[in-house]
């Protein structure tokens, strides 16, 4: 963990990627919000990194915008081929991304030999919240909470939501 934990950072990245995807498809904020049954004001705040969002709502946005869920957490989303629809690897694919995240998170904890107590001290997320997510008892955590977990293992969220390891081996 080379940098200070700033939870709004990922919300800004995610929100910017949502806004760019929405604009690319020609949706207004109102159209997109209505299509996923989400408040228009909250979606506007989300696009500017001012609104936390739950996992399922984030997944619904990715599905509606037909973009790869992990890509929405990439700082390089705008600069890569995410807008090239001829590249089918960048479109939405149904998956249990929360399970993928948890499995990758656990793998990182083991490989880095991080003790559980060290995890909880790194952020202000409650220990029972993290435990519930890891043990699959929480099915709709917020993006801010998942970002805290990614910070704990010093791994970006794109990697934790992806079905590849750091060596690009398929899981």
């Amino acid at each position: 963990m080379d940098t200070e934990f700033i939870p709004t950072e990922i919300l800004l990245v995610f929100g910017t990627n949502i806004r760019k995807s929405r604009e690319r498809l020609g949706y207004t904020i109102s159209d997109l919000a209505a299509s996923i049954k989400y408040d228009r004001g909250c979606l506007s705040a989300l696009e500017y990194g001012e609104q936390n969002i739950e996992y399922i709502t984030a997944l619904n946005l990715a599905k509606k915008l037909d973009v790869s869920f992990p890509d929405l957490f990439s700082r390089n989303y705008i600069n890569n081929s995410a807008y090239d629809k001829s590249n089918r690897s960048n479109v939405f694919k149904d998956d249990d991304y929360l399970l993928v995240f948890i499995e990758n998170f656990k793998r990182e904890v083991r490989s880095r030999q991080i003790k559980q107590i060290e995890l909880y001290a790194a952020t202000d997320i409650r220990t029972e919240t993290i435990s519930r997510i890891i043990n699959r008892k929480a099915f709709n955590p917020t993006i801010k909470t998942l970002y805290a977990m990614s910070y704990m293992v010093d791994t970006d969220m794109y990697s934790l939501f992806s079905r590849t390891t750091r060596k690009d081996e398929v899981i």
Side-chain angles (χ1 to χ4, degrees):
M1 290 175 273
D2 299 333
T3 60
E4 179 184 349
F5 176 64
I6 305 170
T8 55
E9 180 182 2
I10 198 62
L11 298 177
L12 184 58
V13 168
F14 181 80
T16 299
N17 291 340
I18 290 293
R19 184 178 68 249
K20 294 296 183 184
S21 297
R22 175 183 61 76
E23 290 171 347
R24 177 183 50 82
L25 292 173
Y27 289 124
T28 65
I29 289 178
S30 296
D31 291 340
L32 181 57
S35 72
I36 65 161
K37 297 177 177 56
Y38 192 66
D39 182 76
R40 183 223 168 283
C42 290
L43 181 57
S44 179
L46 171 73
E47 287 187 355
Y48 290 95
E50 300 166 352
Q51 174 78 30
N52 198 0
I53 189 170
E54 293 175 331
Y55 163 75
I56 291 173
T57 304
L59 200 59
N60 287 338
L61 280 166
K63 188 176 208 173
K64 179 64 181 178
L65 295 168
D66 194 25
V67 295
S68 164
F69 186 70
D71 280 354
L72 288 175
F73 299 94
S74 172
R75 287 170 174 75
N76 297 321
Y77 178 71
I78 303 307
N79 300 325
N80 70 14
S81 61
Y83 292 131
D84 179 7
K85 285 301 180 185
S86 65
N87 182 352
R88 298 300 297 166
S89 68
N90 295 319
V91 297
F92 182 81
K93 294 178 183 78
D94 271 321
D95 202 345
D96 188 344
Y97 290 102
L98 187 56
L99 178 61
V100 173
F101 182 96
I102 292 165
E103 288 173 350
N104 287 336
F105 176 82
K106 288 178 177 180
R107 185 178 301 109
E108 289 296 323
V109 168
R110 281 190 307 272
S111 72
R112 295 169 189 264
Q113 299 179 338
I114 301 171
K115 293 183 171 52
Q116 199 167 4
I117 193 71
E118 294 169 340
L119 289 175
Y120 302 136
T123 67
D124 63 349
I125 306 300
R126 295 175 25 199
T127 57
E128 55 272 13
T129 300
I130 296 167
S131 179
R132 288 182 52 75
I133 293 168
I134 291 171
N135 293 308
R136 303 274 296 160
K137 297 193 190 286
F139 300 105
N140 198 18
T142 65
I143 296 305
K144 181 179 169 183
T145 300
L146 296 175
Y147 180 60
M149 292 173 68
S150 75
Y151 176 82
M152 292 173 188
V153 294
D154 197 23
T155 304
D156 62 271
M157 288 182 67
Y158 170 85
S159 298
L160 291 176
F161 279 122
S162 298
R163 284 199 176 270
T164 57
T165 65
R166 281 183 281 165
K167 296 175 185 169
D168 292 330
E169 297 170 350
V170 176
I171 296 175

